[in-house]
Amino acid sequence: MTAPDTVRTEDLPAVVIGAGPIGLAAAAHLVEEGIEPLVLEAGPTAAAAVREWSHVRLFSPWGEVIDPAAEKLLAPTGWTRPDPAAYPSGGDWADDYLQPLADALGARVRTGATVTGVSRSGRDRIVDADRAAQPFVVHVTHADGREERLSARAVIDASGTWSTPSPAGADGLPALGEKSTADHITYRVPDFTDAAVRTRYAGKRTAIIGSGASAFTALAGLADLAKAADGGGTKGLWILRRGMSGATFGGGEADQLPARGALGLAAKAAVDEGHADAVTGFRTEAVERTPDDRLVLVAEDGRHLDAVDEVIVVTGFRPDLSFLSEIRLGLDERLQAPVDLAPLIDPNQHSCGTVYPHGHRELAHPEQDIYLIGMKSYGRAPTFLALTGYEQARSVAAALAGDTDSADRVELTLPETGVCGGAGLFDAPEQEEGTQGCCTTPKPQLLQLATPTGEPEAGCCGS
């Protein structure tokens, strides 16, 4: 139900959409700022999306995936902090940190609550009159089918992008035949330790479409399966939309996150050892089914690849903006990220993944007091780290509490990928060896976001 007229907007809770790592961190920071949060999670448990990739090991150690405000909230519960140098799996992250954090927040977290719409009370997106003075109204459908309208002083959308993976089609739309061949396609990294998954892929020829960490993980997993006793004949076909270069497998030993660098090296080994073949410059236009129930990928240039048995599509994710259609958002037309954040993360320009520290000002929209944070704030851009989301949550919570000085004081050092220079994502020519791209940076140091009266002294990557 909506709030009675006697309830002041500032006394309403701040609704947080999503009980993942960034949403729960936002709730912890709101509590620290004296603002009551209400976290709405569509899944049956906290960290429902993380649990869907529970088999995948993070390339950030525990010390970089625990939020400071969340740790303070957990301390009185008897929670034991994991070894900061150890690397958790998604399941570890959910079980040993995120679920305990949700438990510490208690009734402030509601699961099985799907947000279907956000607006201003009594105002659609057209109406200007007295708009900012109205509370937000959040439409929710519960797991039992019950519908509810909740009033909020602010909305923090940390729902992520997990539920909306990008398709195989190179034009951003599903390839011809992609939907009708979905029984042989997955948009997630399979758990190759699971018996049923091993049966599906062992001895088969599998195409992997994508060029990021998920593709590396899938390549390494297929290679391990190929080496196993039950994996004879397992073969990968790695499909890249661009050519191969020194940066194709990431930064390797130069990556300041060693596990991330090692993942790229494992993918390189899968190719070098013959467990996967690479096809470059291939933009998928169609997926055709053969009479013997195999799939043939067809490129925009007319190339037909030899038939495969399965396809793993890991071409990234995109934000679900459907339930925000009545909110006035300021989004970049390409990335679907906030307009002031987009230039800092545009993969067409930045090849190294180093992002200047940012906070509530870069995340603001024409609609006051609504923020997209976490993976969703990046729109379609890759290379998001939990550290970035935690700092976003801290800055936004401080801004909502009226502590502008703290909200503007964004300090963060992000580990570099070790990959700099070269083209962006697609067709720009590669730089000559030995030249520096726009993202070439000195050794990282503590960075501070400029206040509104000053501009950050930074290159295009902000270092």
Side-chain angles (χ1 to χ4, degrees):
M1 297 178 63
T2 55
D5 293 339
T6 55
V7 177
R8 302 182 307 165
T9 297
E10 56 265 36
D11 294 331
L12 294 170
V15 164
V16 179
I17 305 174
I22 311 305
L24 293 174
H29 282 283
L30 289 168
V31 170
E32 193 168 64
E33 294 288 355
I35 299 174
E36 188 65 15
L38 176 59
V39 183
L40 302 175
E41 166 59 46
T45 65
V50 175
R51 294 179 189 280
E52 290 191 28
W53 50 270
S54 60
H55 58 287
V56 177
R57 191 159 300 280
L58 279 68
F59 46 64
S60 294
W62 271 114
E64 295 180 359
V65 296
I66 295 175
D67 176 78
E71 189 168 3
K72 291 178 185 176
L73 197 63
L74 283 164
T77 69
W79 174 75
T80 301
R81 191 177 196 271
D83 178 2
Y87 289 85
S89 65
D92 297 333
W93 204 17
D95 292 339
D96 299 340
Y97 166 62
L98 297 173
Q99 188 60 56
L101 178 54
D103 294 341
L105 287 163
R108 299 180 177 107
V109 178
R110 299 183 188 176
T111 58
T114 301
V115 173
T116 58
V118 180
S119 188
R120 289 281 188 178
S121 181
R123 309 287 191 276
D124 62 22
R125 68 181 297 152
I126 299 174
V127 180
D128 291 333
D130 202 30
R131 185 177 187 86
Q134 305 305 312
F136 289 96
V137 60
V138 181
H139 289 232
V140 182
T141 299
H142 295 274
D144 60 3
R146 178 173 54 91
E147 296 181 337
E148 185 178 14
R149 296 172 69 221
L150 301 170
S151 296
R153 61 178 289 177
V155 174
I156 300 175
D157 183 356
S159 58
T161 57
W162 179 254
S163 64
T164 46
S166 296
D171 55 9
L173 300 173
L176 296 175
E178 184 172 346
K179 293 181 180 179
S180 64
T181 55
D183 54 330
H184 287 286
I185 301 175
T186 182
Y187 298 87
R188 307 285 188 258
V189 177
D191 180 3
F192 291 107
T193 66
D194 180 86
V197 172
R198 294 177 76 85
T199 298
R200 176 174 178 175
Y201 294 96
K204 307 288 181 62
R205 179 176 163 87
T206 299
I208 300 168
I209 305 175
S211 59
S214 294
F216 294 168
T217 303
L219 282 167
L222 274 178
D224 288 342
L225 179 57
K227 298 172 189 175
D230 60 344
T234 302
K235 185 78 173 183
L237 182 66
W238 188 22
I239 298 174
L240 296 149
R241 292 175 179 170
R242 59 178 298 187
M244 296 187 75
S245 69
T248 297
F249 296 98
E253 294 179 357
D255 195 318
Q256 291 176 1
L257 283 177
R260 182 171 59 189
L263 183 59
L265 294 175
K268 185 176 187 301
V271 175
D272 290 346
E273 295 170 5
H275 300 300
D277 297 323
V279 178
T280 60
F282 191 97
R283 291 172 171 78
T284 306
E285 181 179 74
V287 184
E288 300 175 350
R289 193 189 297 267
T290 66
D292 59 349
D293 198 29
R294 303 182 78 201
L295 304 183
V296 172
L297 300 179
V298 183
E300 292 177 347
D301 60 10
R303 277 183 291 168
H304 287 60
L305 299 182
D306 290 341
V308 297
D309 300 287
E310 300 288 337
V311 179
I312 300 172
V313 179
V314 278
T315 52
F317 296 86
R318 54 186 61 179
D320 177 9
L321 302 169
S322 61
F323 58 87
L324 301 175
S325 61
E326 294 305 316
I327 292 295
R328 297 174 177 181
L329 300 177
L331 298 175
D332 178 78
E333 63 184 9
R334 291 172 298 169
L335 297 186
Q336 296 178 297
V339 290
D340 288 337
L341 175 60
L344 304 179
I345 61 176
D346 187 350
N348 290 291
Q349 303 298 326
H350 306 294
S351 61
C352 64
T354 300
V355 178
Y356 197 83
H358 59 275
H360 72 110
R361 294 190 183 277
E362 289 80 7
L363 298 169
H365 294 277
E367 194 84 65
Q368 296 179 33
D369 295 336
I370 184 166
Y371 297 92
L372 279 57
I373 71 171
M375 278 291 298
K376 193 162 188 174
S377 73
Y378 269 39
R380 300 192 184 197
T383 68
F384 187 82
L385 294 176
L387 283 171
T388 301
Y390 294 158
E391 188 59 22
Q392 290 178 340
R394 188 204 63 77
S395 177
V396 165
L400 292 175
D403 187 353
T404 305
D405 288 342
S406 177
D408 286 339
R409 193 173 57 250
V410 181
E411 298 181 353
L412 180 64
T413 299
L414 293 175
E416 294 183 7
T417 62
V419 180
C420 288
L425 282 185
F426 304 112
D427 291 327
E430 296 289 343
Q431 289 184 315
E432 294 180 7
E433 186 176 355
T435 62
Q436 293 186 337
C438 75
C439 293
T440 302
T441 60
K443 188 174 179 62
Q445 52 190 319
L446 185 65
L447 303 174
Q448 181 165 313
L449 185 69
T451 62
T453 58
E455 293 296 330
E457 296 181 1
C460 73
C461 281
S463 293

